[in-house]
Amino acid sequence: MKGSSDSSELIAGHATPAGTRRFAKRFASTYSPEFYRQLADGVSVSSIGMGTYLGDCDDAEDARYVTVLSAGVERGINLVDTAINYRCQRSERAVGRALQKILGDGLARRDELLVATKGGYIPLDREPPTTRELYDSYLRSEYFDRGIMTPSDVVNGGHSIAPTFIANQIDRSLHNLGVATIDIYYLHNPEQQCSALDASKFRARLAEAFRELESHVERGTIRSYGCATWNGFRQPAEAPGHLNLEEIVGIAHETVGPSHHLRFVQLPINLAMSEGVRSPTQTVGGKKVSLLEAAAELGVAVVASASLMQSQLSRGLPTALANAFPSLHTDAQRAIAFVRSLPLTSALVGMRSMNHLTENLGAAAPAIAS
């Protein structure tokens, strides 16, 4: 497998309460105390996280990510989010190179950082194939012929949560990232399965995936898991592909028991995509509530993706919003501040340049000098 290394070379450890508190303490004079938010297990997370979705599949983009991710940690961000399919596995590998640099330069320790990734979409390798025939050949040689999954495990042309596929993806992600343990592992857009299968088959597949993920928690290759979605939690119950968080947590409970490690959900929350805050798309205990309310009731942490809606909210916002955030200087900062003002864990923002990093961190309130 390209990008892999011997397991003895993987960075040991994972985020811990003591480590993340140590990290946050170093920035006590930089940010106000609310910049870091505590998870149920005591781990402290920066309320701005670094995303790695955008960019070309080339070496120059990889190098930019390594530089900006390293600088982001140096400036107080301790959540890095990626996915194996982002940029044909290049984003995971860039995160891996950044982690080596961060630890090698003494910018942070492994127990101070949360590394999150996702699996579900079949990842390409370094660059997309130029024809459908080459893609089909890639699927056969890389997955079907090796017994990792069968064509019946795949829906919508390129998505699977089959246990053997998830196991393979976790192993690949560990080696791409160069770590022995992934802090948060998301099933990536499970609504792809929901929209292709009947309800009972979807529940069965999700239960099998959760059982597989719990086995990885037991062996220490992941610490927790969840669902990273695009539409599933935002759309109404009658829509195809709708996901109900109470049902999903219930499946984990039925499959594994009350000690399950389904701890996170990720979905777009921003000024233009505010359904997670304002729309009662969820039902908990028979009551219609928003996703944020459901997550709070069910003890699940929420991470917001697309905080700038892929840069579309970085300019041209209404004047009224500037008045609502008078201490901020740019629309990007105001859009991030809106997400950070919500009762959630972290606002993910794609950062591909030092200028973006500096501007985005400007959305955080500075520490008040005593």
Side-chain angles (χ1 to χ4, degrees):
M1 157 196 336
K2 294 180 182 179
S4 66
S5 58
D6 186 82
S7 60
S8 63
E9 300 173 358
L10 302 179
I11 300 166
H14 54 80
T16 67
T20 54
R21 282 197 303 269
R22 183 195 318 123
F23 184 84
K25 188 176 180 180
R26 290 207 296 277
F27 297 93
S29 63
T30 304
Y31 304 112
S32 61
E34 54 78 41
F35 183 73
Y36 296 97
R37 300 180 181 179
Q38 197 170 94
L39 298 173
D41 63 0
V43 167
S44 297
V45 187
S46 57
S47 57
I48 296 177
M50 294 183 287
T52 59
Y53 172 65
L54 297 176
D56 296 328
C57 294
D58 60 32
D59 294 344
E61 197 73 74
D62 294 347
R64 282 191 286 272
Y65 268 121
V66 172
T67 297
V68 177
L69 293 172
S70 302
V73 169
E74 187 174 20
R75 298 187 188 186
I77 298 176
N78 73 335
L79 173 61
V80 179
D81 181 271
T82 190
I84 193 169
N85 65 302
Y86 288 175
R87 300 175 54 252
C88 301
Q89 300 186 61
R90 283 177 173 268
S91 285
E92 275 196 340
R93 292 167 185 163
V95 170
R97 286 169 53 195
L99 289 172
Q100 291 284 352
K101 177 175 172 55
I102 288 161
L103 273 59
D105 291 348
L107 303 178
R109 303 180 195 177
R110 177 64 185 93
D111 65 351
E112 299 174 339
L113 306 174
L114 286 91
V115 179
T117 193
K118 314 174 189 75
Y121 287 105
I122 296 169
L124 305 174
D125 200 337
R126 292 190 60 81
E127 59 187 16
T130 55
T131 66
R132 179 70 196 196
E133 289 73 19
L134 287 174
Y135 174 70
D136 290 340
S137 176
Y138 172 76
L139 287 188
R140 285 194 303 272
S141 63
E142 197 71 12
Y143 293 102
F144 300 153
D145 293 348
R146 296 171 58 196
I148 293 169
M149 62 179 174
T150 67
S152 64
D153 292 325
V154 181
V155 303
N156 294 324
H159 192 275
S160 178
I161 57 172
T164 50
F165 176 69
I166 293 298
N168 173 270
Q169 296 298 281
I170 290 174
D171 184 64
R172 290 176 185 235
S173 289
L174 291 168
H175 288 89
N176 283 344
L177 294 164
V179 298
T181 303
I182 295 163
D183 295 286
I184 309 168
Y185 191 84
Y186 295 103
L187 293 183
H188 199 177
N189 286 5
E191 60 263 43
Q192 291 281 328
Q193 300 282 321
C194 185
S195 62
L197 306 170
D198 63 43
S200 62
K201 182 64 173 177
F202 172 68
R203 286 179 60 89
R205 284 200 176 180
L206 204 56
E208 291 170 359
F210 288 168
R211 192 175 291 112
E212 180 66 30
L213 290 168
E214 286 290 341
S215 75
H216 287 272
V217 174
E218 291 177 7
R219 71 188 73 164
T221 50
I222 67 174
R223 291 285 292 172
S224 60
Y225 59 92
C227 296
T229 72
W230 189 255
N231 291 321
F233 290 126
R234 296 189 302 112
Q235 55 193 4
E238 62 273 15
H242 167 78
L243 298 175
N244 182 269
L245 184 58
E246 183 181 47
E247 181 181 7
I248 288 172
V249 172
I251 292 170
H253 191 283
E254 293 166 11
T255 304
V256 182
S259 61
H260 66 78
H261 291 80
L262 194 161
R263 305 276 173 80
F264 292 88
V265 293
Q266 185 182 125
L267 73 158
I269 301 179
N270 56 55
L271 285 164
M273 304 165 77
S274 59
E275 297 92 342
V277 184
R278 62 175 176 79
S279 298
T281 64
Q282 303 294 303
T283 303
V284 178
K287 181 181 178 182
K288 290 186 177 296
V289 295
S290 70
L291 184 280
L292 281 181
E293 291 172 303
E297 182 72 21
L298 296 165
V300 177
V302 178
V303 174
S305 62
S307 298
L308 292 179
M309 207 167 74
Q310 299 172 5
S311 297
Q312 294 183 57
L313 298 175
S314 63
R315 57 195 174 275
L317 296 181
T319 303
L321 196 64
N323 297 333
F325 296 99
S327 65
L328 302 180
H329 306 292
T330 70
D331 281 346
Q333 292 174 350
R334 296 171 189 120
I336 295 169
F338 164 76
V339 181
R340 288 186 64 248
S341 72
L342 302 171
L344 48 75
T345 298
S346 192
L348 295 176
V349 188
M351 303 191 196
R352 298 164 57 205
S353 75
M354 294 298 293
N355 288 339
H356 288 158
L357 173 64
T358 299
E359 180 181 14
N360 296 340
L361 281 174
I368 299 174
S370 57

